[in-house]
Amino acid sequence: MSTNRITVLAGFAVLSLPLTLQATTDPLLDDLELPTVLSATRLKQAPAEVPGSMTVLDRQLIRASGARDIPEILRLVPGMMIGYRSGNMMNVNYHGTNVTEARRLQVLVDGRSVYRPGFATVEWSSIPVSIEDIERIEVFRGPNTAAYGANALMGVINIITRHPRDYAGTTLKYTAGERGVRDWYFNQHFSQGDSNWRLSLAGMEDDGFDMFDDGEDYRDSRRLSRVNLSGAIPLTDTQSLELQIAASETSQQLYYDYGPFVDAIDPKRDTPGLYDQAISNHSPNSDSQLRDYSIQGLWKNDFNSDHSLQILAYAQQMSREQAWRACDSPIVFMDELKQLYDLNPTAARRVSKFLEYGDSAYDMRTAMQTSLGAEYTAQLGDLGETIKQQRSQFRNADPVCWDIDHNLQENRYHVEVQDTLRVNEQLRLMSGLSYRYDRATSETFFGGTLENTIAQAFTNIEYRPHQRWLFQLGGMFEDDHLIGSSFSPRVAGHFFVAPMHSLRLVYSEAVRSPDMFENNAYWSYPIKNPSSNAGTSSSYYATGIGPGDLEQEEARSTEIGYNGTFHNQGITLDVRLFDEHISNMNSEPLKIEDFYPNNDSSVQFKGAETQIDWQVGYADRLRVTYAHIVFEASSKLDQRLTPRHSGSAAWLHEWPFDINSSIIYYGADELNERRFERIDTRLEKRFQLATASALTLALTWQQRLDDEGLTWEENLYDSSSQYYLSAELNF
């Protein structure tokens, strides 16, 4: 994004406040309902009371965005970075870090964590929730391990679905457009006695990106289906039970996901042999199938207006099936290569690189000695030369082929008890306990099954000594069987310059536990159904073994902020100044031949964020976000996804005759070294067919203002614009 355009955006955010304060009070806004949030401390709080910065994406804003995927909605959150890896696969990072990983945000759906235990990722496409069923998304921006445990190092995203009682009748929706967009949604509300139920079915598909940077077609389409059954059952005057059963299935096209030890040689250096030709021609697809199943229940007992108790329990299973046939040189099963890798994995990688040259005249020992320097030994050189001679013999033979998979199944069982008590007008206390069991099963990644248990105890104390002062103290004690124990505190103080306007000072500490794969992997490729020339070996030369003693990543954050609601003018404003330092980071790209997770990296973020939401009467809504981030990262990989300037600007308008429109601008000056700017426009018309039925037609049009690939240079579309149409029938 150009600096001038960002400067204008920031200036509009700042200047709009004094202009609106001088505006004449609109009597239509006197009944403005002030929002509350739930995801900051687990207590229901007004925005000015939150010990940090919150962004609430409400239902109106979600619908106006026209987004088909949850990460696209999160572009409306200041400081939130959306990246794409492997084509259509999305990542969400707050303030940046490694573009291919998203390890440091806790993501919840109605309190259920969808942060996967085995690989510390969120499979956004496979979350079994349709956008049409989302009531709001609450995003806590900043460390929040004090409330939600070790994966909330940088923040919490809580996706809150609509209550079943908020539905009526039947809804049918269909969306179609360019790039193969074909989406459908069905919802049915029904009741039984005092209970309310909602059944939602949905499907999505699109073709992903159009082409690589060389113009070749990009094969990365996806197809997914979802089912979600939600019920609310009143048990007594004070007790209720909420149930949810959900499932999804996602198919994603992926390219050949295996890199041979010996690539086909460069024909400019040497003449390709039979092996080189076969390897160049061997590129089967390695498409994946993702399945996600969950069941959860929430029991609540409101003893009185000052005391409540709730129990949340859920079970979920997430699985991936991804299998294909790999081909490589018989060298990968040689004892000499295994010995070389065990002695020095770097030497094995150097040999792999040298063998690409194909020239039998060079001396492998000399090449390795020059490359390895002080690490070189005569034994390494002898092994390298032996492997080189074997390579010469295999060049005019067929490669070895065998069946390979990245299959994985992850299970989680979680139970949590939370008690909220208002002791008096000055003191409120929330406390709770939770227990979680995680299991990951993969013959490839773990050599079988790996288990873990996590116990938590958490609390948050609110104390109001005076109407102008609020102090909060919170903390989480967590015992992770595979990692150890930790305590994450947070302390915050608010000074209220007016009832809905507060200045805050927050200090918090947070941790992220390394996932099972980082710390406890046993990554190997068992030889299944090998070709006849595989010999007698039964194992691949390399094994990625987790260190088993990784420490937790640690974050320390200091924040100064302001939150205010100008009731008569319909304005809410939040400003955040932050200084965040993360140490003990693991930033290594984890490859089987180069598997070195460690705690050697660190990053520091400093900057400012603001968001302004202005409800201009009943017809117009203006919303502006802006983030300025200055950072220092020890790893180059953590420097790619942090733009210094980013933000959004939105205008929502309700026209006469049931017509709604929205225009939203998104921009970032550098996402993985690429500028990103886009304008999304949505136009909607509602036709009232009868008293209880209506038809809504909508057009969404996206226009890129830059000519860059999306995150990576190969993520390209053949057009800078896209549109899709939707028709929704309610009866």
Side-chain angles (χ1 to χ4, degrees):
M1 186 191 315
S2 65
T3 303
N4 289 340
R5 194 173 287 150
I6 280 292
T7 303
V8 171
L9 180 64
F12 179 76
V14 174
L15 293 176
S16 62
L17 177 60
L19 290 175
T20 54
L21 290 178
Q22 297 171 14
T24 303
T25 300
D26 187 342
L28 295 176
L29 296 173
D30 288 342
D31 60 349
L32 181 69
E33 182 179 352
L34 297 180
T36 58
V37 294
L38 304 172
S39 305
T41 62
R42 297 172 179 258
L43 290 169
K44 183 177 290 187
Q45 296 174 308
E49 300 172 344
V50 171
S53 287
M54 288 286 297
T55 296
V56 179
L57 306 175
D58 56 52
R59 186 167 176 79
Q60 181 195 31
L61 195 59
I62 293 171
R63 186 178 181 92
S65 73
R68 300 173 56 243
D69 294 290
I70 294 172
E72 287 295 325
I73 302 172
L74 297 174
R75 292 189 187 277
L76 292 163
V77 179
M80 198 67 74
M81 311 305 165
I82 312 303
Y84 284 77
R85 57 185 173 88
S86 300
N88 233 338
M89 301 173 68
M90 294 164 284
N91 269 348
V92 177
N93 284 281
Y94 182 57
H95 286 175
T97 68
N98 195 327
V99 66
T100 60
E101 304 294 341
R103 297 169 170 158
R104 301 174 179 93
L105 283 174
Q106 178 63 277
V107 181
L108 309 170
V109 176
D110 295 324
R112 173 176 65 90
S113 173
V114 295
Y115 187 96
R116 307 184 82 122
F119 274 75
T121 57
V122 176
E123 296 287 354
W124 290 96
S125 290
S126 67
I127 296 177
V129 173
S130 300
I131 286 180
E132 291 81 2
D133 290 327
I134 297 175
E135 178 64 28
R136 66 186 185 277
I137 301 176
E138 296 184 355
V139 182
F140 185 91
R141 303 177 350 252
N144 202 3
T145 301
Y148 289 98
N151 291 328
L153 185 83
M154 291 295 289
V156 176
I157 299 172
N158 192 8
I159 302 165
I160 301 171
T161 61
R162 298 180 68 191
H163 195 280
R165 67 169 175 263
D166 295 333
Y167 292 82
T170 304
T171 300
L172 298 171
K173 183 179 179 182
Y174 184 75
T175 301
E178 295 179 310
R179 301 172 185 166
V181 170
R182 297 291 185 272
D183 304 340
W184 61 271
Y185 170 79
F186 165 80
N187 170 270
Q188 178 65 56
H189 169 266
F190 54 96
S191 59
Q192 185 176 8
D194 294 331
S195 63
N196 286 275
W197 295 85
R198 177 258 296 161
L199 174 65
S200 295
L201 306 174
M204 289 179 62
E205 64 178 79
D206 58 60
D207 294 338
F209 294 103
D210 292 323
M211 58 186 179
F212 289 98
D213 52 350
D214 60 3
E216 181 184 350
D217 287 344
Y218 201 144
R219 185 181 178 279
D220 70 330
S221 69
R222 58 175 176 162
R223 307 288 184 272
L224 63 94
S225 57
R226 302 184 178 106
V227 58
N228 190 293
L229 176 65
S230 179
I233 308 167
L235 302 177
T236 67
D237 291 341
T238 62
Q239 299 182 50
S240 64
L241 178 64
E242 298 178 10
L243 298 174
Q244 191 172 128
I245 301 173
S248 70
E249 183 174 35
T250 306
S251 299
Q252 293 180 330
Q253 290 184 335
L254 294 170
Y255 285 96
Y256 186 42
D257 195 12
Y258 175 82
F261 178 77
V262 182
D263 286 323
I265 66 168
D266 186 345
K268 294 180 181 179
R269 294 194 178 103
D270 203 353
T271 303
L274 294 177
Y275 165 82
D276 303 296
Q277 297 173 18
I279 287 295
S280 295
N281 295 330
H282 183 78
S283 57
N285 299 318
S286 55
D287 299 350
S288 69
Q289 297 279 337
L290 304 173
R291 295 181 176 87
D292 192 319
Y293 307 98
S294 65
I295 180 171
Q296 70 183 79
L298 176 64
W299 173 80
K300 295 181 180 180
N301 190 348
D302 295 321
F303 299 105
N304 52 56
S305 59
D306 294 327
H307 188 200
S308 65
L309 177 71
Q310 69 176 41
I311 299 176
L312 172 69
Y314 62 85
Q316 61 187 30
Q317 176 179 296
M318 301 161 283
S319 65
R320 178 181 67 198
E321 295 180 6
Q322 185 184 16
W324 67 98
R325 193 159 179 81
C327 289
D328 207 335
S329 170
I331 289 174
V332 298
F333 301 130
M334 286 178 54
D335 290 337
E336 288 84 356
L337 181 56
K338 294 177 185 176
Q339 294 175 36
L340 180 66
Y341 179 82
D342 290 341
L343 289 171
N344 190 318
T346 301
R349 293 196 300 276
R350 296 291 191 273
V351 167
S352 171
K353 186 66 175 177
F354 295 146
L355 291 178
E356 293 180 20
Y357 299 139
D359 185 355
S360 59
Y362 73 89
D363 182 73
M364 176 64 80
R365 293 184 182 89
T366 301
M368 290 182 64
Q369 186 172 12
T370 302
S371 174
L372 294 174
E375 296 182 36
Y376 177 80
T377 65
Q379 184 180 8
L380 295 177
D382 291 342
L383 289 170
E385 183 62 27
T386 300
I387 294 168
K388 173 193 167 185
Q389 298 303 324
Q390 291 292 330
R391 156 67 172 167
S392 299
Q393 296 178 26
F394 293 141
R395 277 195 56 200
N396 288 307
D398 292 330
V400 171
C401 299
W402 73 101
D403 292 339
I404 197 172
D405 72 66
H406 282 175
N407 296 344
L408 172 69
Q409 180 174 299
E410 298 167 276
N411 295 80
R412 173 173 288 160
Y413 305 93
H414 183 102
V415 61
E416 176 181 285
V417 180
Q418 177 179 316
D419 183 85
T420 304
L421 175 65
R422 184 184 297 276
V423 179
N424 51 46
E425 291 299 320
Q426 288 75 41
L427 183 63
R428 187 163 63 142
L429 171 67
M430 182 281 301
S431 58
L433 299 169
S434 76
Y435 179 83
R436 191 174 87 210
Y437 168 79
D438 290 337
R439 181 174 70 236
T441 301
S442 174
E443 186 178 2
T444 299
F445 294 119
F446 299 108
T449 297
L450 185 66
E451 300 176 311
N452 193 24
T453 57
I454 299 171
Q456 298 175 328
F458 49 89
T459 188
N460 191 79
I461 302 171
E462 277 188 357
Y463 177 57
R464 300 174 185 270
H466 186 272
Q467 63 180 359
R468 290 192 178 274
W469 291 98
L470 169 64
F471 297 100
Q472 298 184 66
L473 177 64
M476 168 77 72
F477 174 80
E478 189 165 21
D479 181 70
D480 187 310
H481 175 71
L482 294 178
I483 304 299
S485 300
S486 62
F487 178 72
S488 301
R490 175 172 59 204
V491 59
H494 290 71
F495 174 72
F496 288 85
V497 295
M500 295 179 290
H501 301 261
S502 71
L503 299 173
R504 63 179 180 272
L505 176 63
V506 184
Y507 174 78
S508 60
E509 298 180 3
V511 297
R512 183 189 77 87
S513 298
D515 63 49
M516 294 178 174
F517 183 61
E518 292 171 87
N519 199 45
N520 303 96
Y522 190 86
W523 186 3
S524 64
Y525 287 133
I527 309 306
K528 303 176 183 177
N529 192 23
S531 55
S532 59
N533 58 338
T536 58
S537 179
S538 60
S539 62
Y540 188 69
Y541 81 94
T543 302
I545 300 177
D549 60 354
L550 283 179
E551 298 179 1
Q552 291 178 317
E553 298 181 352
E554 299 179 349
R556 288 177 170 82
S557 171
T558 303
E559 172 181 332
I560 299 174
Y562 161 80
N563 185 278
T565 299
F566 300 88
H567 178 76
N568 292 332
Q569 289 78 23
I571 296 174
T572 60
L573 169 66
D574 186 86
V575 178
R576 179 178 190 243
L577 307 178
F578 56 87
D579 185 345
E580 301 165 341
H581 185 267
I582 308 174
S583 58
N584 286 353
M585 289 177 63
N586 175 30
S587 299
E588 292 298 309
L590 302 181
K591 304 176 181 178
I592 187 171
E593 72 277 4
D594 189 14
F595 196 86
Y596 289 109
N598 56 60
N599 295 112
D600 296 343
S601 298
S602 63
V603 66
Q604 183 173 21
F605 297 109
K606 293 182 178 180
E609 295 171 349
T610 185
Q611 59 185 24
I612 300 174
D613 202 319
W614 180 17
Q615 185 68 49
V616 189
Y618 283 130
D620 291 281
R621 180 179 179 183
L622 301 176
R623 187 178 184 275
V624 177
T625 68
Y626 173 71
H628 174 66
I629 305 172
V630 179
F631 65 95
E632 294 181 4
S634 62
S635 170
K636 292 183 179 179
L637 297 175
D638 288 326
Q639 299 173 11
R640 290 180 166 178
L641 203 66
T642 305
R644 292 188 179 273
H645 305 280
S646 62
S648 67
W651 173 40
L652 283 61
H653 183 73
E654 296 183 12
W655 303 88
F657 309 110
D658 287 329
I659 298 176
N660 295 319
S661 67
S662 61
I663 300 176
I664 305 177
Y665 166 84
Y666 305 100
D669 63 346
E670 194 173 36
L671 281 173
N672 199 25
E673 304 171 357
R674 287 167 180 81
R675 183 171 60 96
F676 173 79
E677 288 187 273
R678 194 179 76 197
I679 291 181
D680 292 3
T681 303
R682 187 174 185 272
L683 184 63
E684 174 187 284
K685 165 63 177 173
R686 177 183 172 90
F687 300 90
Q688 193 70 39
L689 304 180
T691 303
S693 62
L695 172 66
T696 303
L697 302 179
L699 167 66
T700 300
W701 175 44
Q702 298 177 341
Q703 178 67 50
R704 289 285 295 276
L705 303 180
D706 62 82
D707 56 359
E708 304 278 355
L710 194 54
T711 309
W712 298 101
E713 63 182 6
E714 65 267 24
N715 291 344
L716 296 172
Y717 295 112
D718 56 17
S719 173
S720 60
S721 65
Q722 179 192 18
Y723 73 87
Y724 43 90
L725 298 162
S726 65
E728 180 178 330
L729 179 63
N730 298 276
F731 58 94

